Amino acid sequence: MTYHSLLFVLTAICAVAAVLAGDLLVGAVMLALVSIGTSLILFDFMAPWAAVFELSVCAGLITVLFVGAVSLVRPSEDSDARGRVKFLVLPLAVAGAAIILWFTLPAFLERLSSGAMPASAHSAAAIGTTLWGLRRPDLLGQVALLAAGVFVIKSIFARKSI
Amino acid sequence: MMNSFALDWYFIALILFVGLYCMLVSRNLLRQLIGLEIMSKAGLLAVISSGALTNRLNLAQAVIITMIVIEVVVVAAGLALLVKNFKINKSVDIWKLKELKG
């Protein structure tokens, strides 16, 4: 098994562990490991910018947000604790899905992989050119989205009821 | 035997399944957000894998950066709603979300 596939396997295992974790804090840490695995895969794909964003924002910031939220709601009763069986069935469900997908997906994926393209002028462009030139509307959308997020949080925790 | 691209997508489908399963069976809002995060990771990996296949890695990276920003805003807003709901209902159970109006 290659390093690349091994990273995918480890990420999938961490995802299962994040869902199976009885303690929400352990779940949040496992989710951070999923993000780290994803970021290593991105590095392996020669996509360092996306990998760095994934590592700093998803494995860092989002984990901090999750841990903060878990510490705020921890004293409450975990409604999922009563129905743990549904979660314990997950490894079996994943094994079942893996077997079904192994027999059903390959034909479709082989057809998809025939869409491979040769390198073009766009592929040679620097990430800065792509991000600031070709995808400029995306950046405007990101700014608008961040502003919307700040507004949502501000309105949720408003001092006076509106 | 599957090629590298097909094998990547096979694992991506499995990760997506894990996230979907978590969202379907969980009643806890935090776990639902964890499921959503796992699904978004699968989407992100699908984008980079497609970018590598079509030799458009820089474009895929630009799209992934946008996806990460969206992910952060969704999670931050979701967690803020969760904490607010917990302050009101003392619960994070989605079946008890009956007082979100107004």
Side-chain angles (χ1 to χ4, degrees):
Chain A
M1 187 176 280
T2 61
Y3 170 69
H4 187 77
S5 300
L6 190 67
L7 285 177
F8 269 98
V9 172
L10 287 177
T11 307
I13 289 172
C14 287
V16 172
V19 178
L20 281 180
D23 190 348
L24 286 170
L25 198 61
V26 177
V29 173
M30 284 298 159
L31 189 65
L33 288 181
V34 173
S35 290
I36 291 170
T38 307
S39 137
L40 287 174
I41 292 170
L42 291 173
F43 268 117
D44 198 47
F45 267 118
M46 303 290 180
W49 286 91
V52 166
F53 259 79
E54 173 71 23
L55 195 61
S56 60
V57 178
C58 293
L61 177 65
I62 290 184
T63 306
V64 170
L65 288 176
F66 265 108
V67 170
V70 169
S71 63
L72 282 173
V73 302
R74 218 174 186 188
S76 77
E77 175 194 9
D78 187 356
S79 48
D80 285 334
R82 290 190 300 268
R84 291 299 304 162
V85 179
K86 286 181 291 188
F87 290 97
L88 296 176
V89 169
L90 178 64
L92 281 178
V94 171
I99 292 168
I100 292 169
L101 290 174
W102 185 262
F103 289 107
T104 54
L105 269 188
F108 171 67
L109 293 177
E110 290 293 333
R111 206 165 60 242
L112 264 189
S113 60
S114 65
M117 287 174 160
S120 70
H122 283 318
S123 358
I127 178 73
T129 314
T130 310
L131 198 59
W132 293 101
L134 292 173
R135 309 295 299 180
R136 190 173 294 167
D138 286 7
L139 294 175
L140 291 175
Q142 287 179 30
V143 173
L145 202 67
L146 284 171
V150 170
F151 180 73
V152 166
I153 291 171
K154 174 79 181 144
S155 58
I156 287 173
F157 294 109
R159 286 185 184 277
K160 290 178 183 175
S161 57
I162 303 168
Chain B
M1 189 66 193
M2 286 195 255
N3 61 29
S4 170
F5 172 80
L7 201 58
D8 288 357
W9 275 68
Y10 174 71
F11 286 120
I12 288 167
L14 281 182
I15 295 171
L16 190 77
F17 174 79
V18 173
L20 189 66
Y21 187 92
C22 180
M23 287 196 78
L24 284 176
V25 303
S26 178
R27 284 172 51 183
N28 187 320
L29 261 172
L30 254 168
R31 277 186 210 282
Q32 294 241 323
L33 279 173
I34 287 176
L36 185 72
E37 273 288 297
I38 292 171
M39 284 176 75
S40 77
K41 297 286 173 258
L44 196 144
L45 289 171
V47 169
I48 197 70
S49 177
S50 308
L53 180 78
T54 55
N55 266 312
R56 303 283 190 281
L57 263 179
N58 281 342
L59 197 59
Q61 286 194 81
V63 172
I64 283 175
I65 290 170
T66 308
M67 283 174 75
I68 290 172
V69 172
I70 294 170
E71 207 177 306
V72 170
V73 172
V74 168
V75 167
L79 290 175
L81 273 172
L82 179 144
V83 171
K84 182 73 173 180
N85 176 59
F86 179 73
K87 278 184 181 172
I88 296 169
N89 293 325
K90 298 289 173 214
S91 170
V92 286
D93 191 341
I94 50 168
W95 288 9
K96 292 177 184 167
L97 287 179
K98 293 172 183 168
E99 294 175 25
L100 276 181
K101 59 182 178 186

